Amino acid sequence: MAGKYYNLDNMLKPKSVAIIGASQSPEKVGHIIMQNYLNVGYDGDLYPVNVSAEGLILGKKSYKSVLDIKKPLDLAVIAIPAKFVPQSLEECGKAKVKSVIIVSSGFSEVGDTGLQEQIVSIAKKYSLPVLGPNCLGVMDLRSRVDTMFLPTFKIDKPSIGGVSFASQSGAVGSAVLDLISHENFGLSKFISYGNAAVVDEVDILNYLGHDPDTKVIIFYIEGVRRGKEFVEVAKEVTKLKPVIMIKGGITPAGSSAAHSHTASLAGSYAAYEAVFEQYGFIQAKSLDDMLYFAKIFEAQPLSTKKRIAIITNGGGVGVLAADSLYLNGLQMAELSDDAKKELRKVMPPIVNMSMPMDMAGDADDKRFGAAMEVLSKDPNVDALMVISLFQTPGADSRVAAMIIKYGSEGKKPIVVVSPGGNYAEVHNNMMESSGVPVYPSPEDAAKALAALVKYSEYRERMGSLNAEDKNIKKSK
Amino acid sequence: MGTLMDYMDAHALLGKYGIKALDAAYVGSAKEAVGFAKGRTIVMKLISDKALHKSKSGLVKLSLSGDAKIEGAYSELVKLGEKLKPYKILVQEQVSNGTEIIIGGNTDPQFGKLILLGLGGIYVEVFKDVSVRLCPITEYDANAMIESLKSKQIMLADERNGKIVKNLLLKVSEFLVKNQKITELDLNPIILHDGTYDAVDLRLIGE
C-alpha cells in the first residue's frame, strides 16, 4: 500500500536543502524562509539559490542554479515568481533533487491551469514529490525544518508533541498553528499543501498515518482529488490513529469560495459527510472543535464506555455539565456503593453523593484529590469531567497540581472545565502543558468526550482498540 | 444529464437484484388495462419525457376499480397525451396505505456511488431528514443509516420495518456497485406495510 503514495520523508527530514529565490532583501519570501531555517537551528546543509546572486546570502555561499551545487539535495524550496517555476523545477529534476516544495502562487488558484499542468508533467517525468504550489510548505519541529514564510516573531510556535496538522489553506494553517500553541498541545508536523498539484491529501494522509511521530492527525480540506484512493488510505489510517477532519466549503457559498480558492473539484458535502462517518474520521465543524478534539485525543486514553462522573466546586456549572452530557449522547455515572462509602468518609456532610457531585465552593486540593482518587478506581465510572472554578476561595495552584496528578494517569479519560480570566488561565496552561485537556465550557468538554467515545467505538468495531498503545510508544 | 431508463426495463433490472417493484405493465388499450387489473384496484400513469411531475399534471390516476373507471381513466390519459408524445401508459396494482420511505442512489464525482435513505411523503423536502453513505455499505452502515434519522421512530413504528429497510439498502447498494453505468436511482416512494414493502415508483438514470 505505502508504495503507491509519495513518501514525504525527504521533505520533512531533509539533510540538505536548496532555497531557490533566497535573497539578501529582507522583504523577499525567499529571504524569510532562509532566515527561518537559520532561526530554528536547522543543522543540515543549506544552499541559497538566486539567478542574479553573487557571493553570500545570509552568510552562505550562493548559487545561480541548483545544477551548480553538485551535492546531493533532499529538498528544494522554490519561492520565485510563478512564470519562472517550471524551468527551476526542471533543473531540480536534472540535479536529482529528491523532493520539492513550491511556495510560489499564481497557478490554478488564479486560473492559470496551463502553468500548473507544466509542473505536474515535469514532476511526473522525474518522479518527483512536489508540494504546492501556492502553499506555506512544511514544518517539522523534531527535524527543525520550517519552510514557512511567516516571520517568526508574528506567530507562536507550538512545542514538540504528537499532533500533526495538514492544511490545504495556508491561512487556516498559520492561524491554527498560532492557536495550537495557545491550546498547549504539542505539534509533530505541519504540512500546508496548497493546490495539491502533485502531492495531495491522499499522499499526506498516508504519510502521516504511518509516521511514528504522529499520534493524532488534524486535517483542513476543501476538496479531495482522488476520492477512491482517499477512502482506501483512510480505512488503513483511522483504525490506527485519530484523524480529525474539518471541511471547508460545506455550503454552496463556501463551496464556490473554496473552488476559486484552491481550484479543486469539491464534490458534494453529503458525500464527504458519508465518507467521514463511515470510515472513522472525527468530524469537526469549527476550528475550535478541531483543536478541542485534538487535545483530548493527544493526551487521554480511548474509552468505548460513556458513563461520566462530574465533580465540581460550583453547583450551577455542574447542572449545565449534566445537560451537556445528555445532549451529546453521554451518560451520567451512577457511583458504586463502595465509592459512595469512601467518599462519605472524606467529604463534608453538605456534599451529596449523587452526580454531579458538588464539592462546594470551599473545595480545596485535598477534596479534589480524594474525589479523583475514588472515582478513578470506581468501576462504574468510565471517564471524569472535573469542573474547577478558580474563582472560588478553595481553588488555587494546588488544585491544578492535584488534577494534573490524576489527569495524566492515562487510565480513564479526564477533561477539565475551567472558564475564567487571567488567574484561571495560568492554571489552565499548567494543566494543559501536562496533558490534561481544559475546556472553557461544559458543552465543549462534553463534545470532546463524545468524539472520543464515538471514535473508540469505531476502533472497537475495526478490532483495533488496543493498537493505540503501540502508537504511543512509537511517538515518544 | 444521462438518460432515463424505460420503466419496465428498470423494473426487470432491479428485480434481478431482489428489489421487487410493484406489479406493472404497459398497456396499449383500455381493454388491456382491464385485463391487467383482473378485478384488482389499479393505478394508471402516463409516462413521457416531457412530463416531469406526473402527479402534479394529472397524469396519475389512482384507485381505479371496475371496468368503467379503468376505461374512463385510459381515455382521459390518451387525451392528455396528445401534447406529450411519445408517451406510454403504465398500469400498476394499487397498494394499501403504509409508511412511505425513499431510497436513492447518486454518483459523486470524487467518491463514486452514494446511497440515500429518508422518510418519504410530503415532508421530505422540508425536513431534509436523510442519511447518506458511500457504497458498498455494510450491515452496520445500513443499520446506522436508519438509526441516524430523526424520523426513525416513524419508520420503525412497525418493528418489522427495520429488517426490511436494512435488507433493501444492502440490495440497492449491491445494485449500484455492480451497475456503475447507472448514475442515479430513485425508489420513491417505497411503501412499508404489513411486514412487507412495495416499491411504487422507480427511476434509473444511465450515463
Side-chain angles (χ1 to χ4, degrees):
Chain A
M1 156 92 55
K4 271 163 72 183
Y5 306 105
Y6 286 115
N7 183 332
L8 307 181
D9 270 345
N10 283 315
M11 230 172 247
L12 286 143
K13 301 168 192 168
K15 293 193 188 68
S16 48
V17 182
I19 299 188
I20 302 170
S23 160
Q24 279 291 59
S25 327
E27 75 284 1
K28 289 274 164 61
V29 167
H31 177 95
I32 301 170
I33 294 173
M34 177 104 182
Q35 186 68 59
N36 277 358
Y37 263 90
L38 297 170
N39 286 353
V40 297
Y42 173 69
D43 60 3
D45 298 319
L46 209 49
Y47 304 96
V49 176
N50 190 321
V51 273
S52 51
E54 301 283 343
L56 303 179
I57 293 177
L58 285 164
K60 302 265 182 191
K61 178 174 188 267
S62 67
Y63 297 83
K64 289 193 186 301
S65 158
V66 278
L67 287 163
D68 301 334
I69 299 173
K70 302 194 192 307
K71 298 242 177 65
L73 285 167
D74 287 347
L75 171 66
V77 181
I78 301 181
I80 55 176
K83 61 180 173 182
F84 302 120
V85 170
Q87 194 204 328
S88 179
L89 186 62
E90 185 75 43
E91 288 172 8
C92 289
K94 282 186 189 143
K96 298 197 166 54
V97 175
K98 295 196 190 95
S99 68
V100 175
I101 296 172
I102 304 173
V103 169
S104 322
S105 53
F107 296 85
S108 68
E109 82 282 4
V110 294
D112 200 337
T113 48
L115 205 54
Q116 184 151 322
E117 274 158 24
Q118 282 185 51
I119 285 175
V120 174
S121 68
I122 296 166
K124 259 194 203 136
K125 185 162 93 185
Y126 295 101
S127 305
L128 196 55
V130 174
L131 192 70
N134 182 33
C135 73
L136 285 178
V138 301
M139 184 161 104
D140 183 338
L141 297 176
R142 283 184 182 79
S143 58
R144 300 187 176 219
V145 164
D146 179 353
T147 69
M148 299 205 298
F149 56 85
L150 306 172
T152 41
F153 70 90
K154 284 198 170 181
I155 177 167
D156 292 342
K157 293 277 165 84
S159 55
I160 297 180
V163 180
S164 285
F165 173 39
S167 178
Q168 190 156 9
S169 153
V172 169
S174 49
V176 168
L177 277 187
D178 211 356
L179 292 169
I180 285 177
S181 56
H182 181 70
E183 295 291 337
N184 296 303
F185 60 83
L187 187 77
S188 175
K189 296 176 173 63
F190 168 65
I191 301 174
S192 150
Y193 61 95
N195 293 7
V198 180
V199 169
D200 65 12
E201 302 76 21
V202 184
D203 299 302
I204 294 168
L205 184 62
N206 182 63
Y207 177 75
L208 294 176
H210 295 94
D211 171 34
D213 293 328
T214 298
K215 204 181 139 194
V216 178
I217 300 170
I218 52 184
F219 226 118
Y220 172 82
I221 60 166
E222 285 167 7
V224 164
R225 280 150 201 78
R226 292 183 286 165
K228 300 221 162 87
E229 289 87 344
F230 184 77
V231 168
E232 281 310 303
V233 171
K235 282 186 199 167
E236 290 296 313
V237 173
T238 57
K239 67 181 182 195
L240 295 175
K241 54 184 86 172
V243 184
I244 300 159
M245 275 285 170
I246 183 162
K247 160 111 173 68
I250 64 175
T251 62
S255 180
S256 77
H259 182 80
S260 61
H261 185 201
T262 29
S264 68
L265 185 59
S268 74
Y269 178 54
Y272 283 96
E273 266 205 313
V275 168
F276 295 159
E277 188 64 35
Q278 244 165 311
Y279 300 105
F281 288 101
I282 300 133
Q283 198 185 173
K285 301 235 163 128
S286 69
L287 291 178
D288 279 346
D289 279 352
M290 180 174 90
L291 297 167
Y292 292 164
F293 293 172
K295 60 185 178 185
I296 192 170
F297 281 107
E298 198 218 4
Q300 295 295 316
L302 297 179
S303 169
T304 54
K305 301 203 187 107
K306 46 186 162 192
R307 297 166 302 172
I308 319 294
I310 301 173
I311 57 171
T312 177
N313 58 353
V317 184
V319 174
L320 291 173
D323 285 339
S324 62
L325 287 188
Y326 180 79
L327 290 172
N328 285 284
L330 301 167
Q331 295 159 9
M332 189 101 79
E334 177 71 39
L335 301 188
S336 68
D337 290 341
D338 285 350
K340 283 184 188 164
K341 223 180 281 170
E342 286 302 308
L343 285 169
R344 190 72 284 162
K345 284 186 210 158
V346 286
M347 291 295 152
I350 55 155
V351 175
N352 198 319
M353 290 299 109
S354 64
M355 290 281 122
M357 192 170 79
D358 182 1
M359 302 184 297
D362 61 344
D364 58 5
D365 58 319
K366 289 187 196 67
R367 223 177 281 171
F368 270 95
M372 286 185 288
E373 173 67 27
V374 172
L375 296 175
S376 64
K377 295 203 168 81
D378 186 348
N380 287 4
V381 173
D382 303 316
L384 264 74
M385 186 188 287
V386 178
I387 301 168
S388 60
L389 306 173
F390 282 97
Q391 298 77 15
T392 58
D396 57 19
S397 301
R398 286 170 293 185
V399 166
M402 194 56 89
I403 294 173
I404 290 168
K405 182 179 169 215
Y406 288 96
S408 49
E409 267 185 342
K411 285 185 196 140
K412 291 177 186 176
I414 293 191
V415 292
V416 174
V417 177
S418 168
N422 289 335
Y423 184 76
E425 196 63 34
V426 170
H427 295 98
N428 296 349
N429 287 339
M430 276 170 63
M431 291 187 280
E432 296 210 307
S433 305
S434 308
V436 183
V438 180
Y439 298 92
S441 75
E443 175 63 22
D444 291 320
K447 257 201 252 176
L449 273 173
L452 183 89
V453 169
K454 187 176 175 191
Y455 176 67
S456 307
E457 287 169 346
Y458 178 80
R459 287 274 290 264
E460 188 174 51
R461 223 161 55 236
M462 295 297 121
S464 67
L465 188 59
N466 300 315
E468 192 207 32
D469 301 336
K470 255 187 292 175
N471 260 324
I472 294 175
K473 270 177 214 139
K474 263 198 266 172
S475 76
K476 295 287 153 141
Chain B
M1 258 315 282
T3 47
L4 182 67
M5 187 184 284
D6 173 77
Y7 188 90
M8 290 310 294
D9 290 350
H11 191 286
L13 184 57
L14 287 166
K16 285 186 194 161
Y17 291 83
I19 302 157
K20 58 172 180 73
L22 213 53
D23 186 22
Y26 290 128
V27 289
S29 67
K31 203 178 149 201
E32 276 182 47
V34 171
F36 172 86
K38 289 194 201 83
R40 297 177 296 183
T41 304
I42 63 164
V43 177
M44 197 180 291
K45 298 174 184 176
L46 183 142
I47 294 178
S48 158
D49 289 346
K50 290 173 189 149
L52 286 176
H53 293 284
K54 286 197 282 274
S55 53
K56 281 184 199 158
S57 18
L59 301 175
V60 180
K61 303 289 173 195
L62 298 165
S63 307
L64 308 175
S65 60
D67 298 2
K69 267 194 180 173
I70 293 172
E71 284 159 6
Y74 187 86
S75 52
E76 259 184 69
L77 285 183
V78 168
K79 207 178 289 169
L80 287 167
E82 281 301 312
K83 280 175 279 176
L84 300 168
K85 279 180 180 170
Y87 68 87
K88 288 175 177 171
I89 290 177
L90 184 88
V91 286
Q92 270 181 320
E93 183 188 348
Q94 175 148 331
V95 290
S96 29
N97 290 331
T99 308
E100 287 189 17
I101 65 163
I102 294 174
I103 293 178
N106 211 334
T107 307
D108 181 83
Q110 287 303 330
F111 296 104
K113 302 295 177 204
L114 299 175
I115 183 168
L116 171 148
L117 172 71
L119 194 70
I122 53 173
Y123 297 119
V124 68
E125 287 295 323
V126 182
F127 294 118
K128 296 193 166 50
D129 180 23
V130 295
S131 54
V132 180
R133 290 291 185 279
L134 187 66
C135 297
I137 57 167
T138 61
E139 206 170 324
Y140 175 89
D141 295 327
N143 283 322
M145 286 179 82
I146 301 169
E147 281 300 308
S148 69
L149 290 177
K150 293 184 194 82
S151 54
K152 74 170 171 190
Q153 275 152 316
I154 302 173
M155 195 180 288
L156 302 181
D158 179 337
E159 60 184 18
R160 293 169 293 186
N161 289 349
K163 200 170 165 194
I164 297 171
V165 176
K166 182 191 80 180
N167 287 336
L168 255 178
L169 286 169
L170 289 168
K171 283 176 187 163
V172 171
S173 163
E174 191 201 352
F175 170 81
L176 289 167
V177 170
K178 292 203 175 143
N179 294 273
Q180 286 295 320
K181 291 196 167 153
I182 304 291
T183 52
E184 261 182 78
L185 166 152
D186 244 322
L187 300 174
N188 178 17
I190 297 165
I191 297 182
L192 304 169
H193 66 94
D194 308 307
T196 183
Y197 74 91
D198 285 306
V200 176
D201 201 357
L202 47 89
R203 230 163 50 95
L204 295 182
I205 292 178
E207 267 171 11

